[in-house]
Every structure is written in structure tokens, then in C-alpha cells.
Amino acid sequence: MNTQNQLKIFINSTHSDLLEERDLLSKTALGTGCELVGNNFDESGSPDEWSKESPDQIRNCDLFVVLLGNRYGEVPGKADISWAEFEFDHALEYG
């Protein structure tokens, strides 16, 4: 945890099917003094830009929260996996 005892939370989910749930979780986390880190939520960014920033944000968060829905998620450009799976894989890697 960071020096100010403020939890850094990364929320992982698909976007369009979980807007309400993601918004509720974000508001609840912010209301308890937590800091949200991550893309919060922009699938429009370039895969190169996003893939450079997101792993560091995941590695430096205190809590990685996964919201599961009915969609696999956006697969950017020539990628083989979705944004959500990319984030999840990195969270597993960093433990």
C-alpha cells in the first residue's frame, strides 16, 4: 500500500455491458478514499500506448478487481486478446 494508506484500485472489465456496475464500484471506491488507477475506461487508445502504460499501473496497484459480464471485450487492431484479458494476464503475472 502507498505511504498515505490510500488503496490504489485497478478495475478490470469489459466496457459497454458493465457501465452501471463499473460506475457503482468506482463511486464506492472513491467514496471510501481509494484511488482509481488504470485506463478508466478508454478502449479507443492505441494498443501501443495502452500496452506500455497499463502493465505499470497494474503492477503498482494494491487491489485488482475483475468485473465479469457476458462479453469477451474489445480486441484492438492486430492483437490476439481483448483489453480485459491483457490486463488480467498482467495481474496474474504480477501476483
Side-chain angles (χ1 to χ4, degrees):
M1 195 156 34
N2 66 34
T3 58
Q4 298 175 349
N5 293 328
Q6 182 181 39
L7 278 176
K8 292 182 179 182
I9 299 175
F10 191 104
I11 300 173
N12 168 274
S13 73
T14 55
H15 181 59
S16 62
D17 60 330
L18 296 171
L19 287 173
E20 291 179 31
E21 293 84 354
R22 189 179 183 89
D23 186 54
L24 178 61
L25 178 58
S26 296
K27 286 178 181 175
T28 301
L30 290 171
T32 60
C34 295
E35 176 185 351
L36 297 179
V37 297
N39 59 5
N40 293 321
F41 191 87
D42 183 12
E43 289 183 334
S44 66
S46 75
D48 288 338
E49 175 185 78
W50 183 85
S51 64
K52 290 176 186 171
E53 295 175 9
S54 188
D56 287 338
Q57 294 168 341
I58 293 167
R59 184 175 35 252
N60 294 320
C61 73
D62 300 304
L63 184 63
F64 184 87
V65 177
V66 179
L67 296 177
L68 297 174
N70 295 322
R71 293 184 57 237
Y72 175 67
E74 178 73 23
V75 178
K78 297 179 181 179
D80 295 329
I81 60 174
S82 70
W83 292 128
E85 185 174 348
F86 180 83
E87 292 171 348
F88 185 76
D89 289 349
H90 277 82
L92 288 176
E93 179 181 333
Y94 300 132

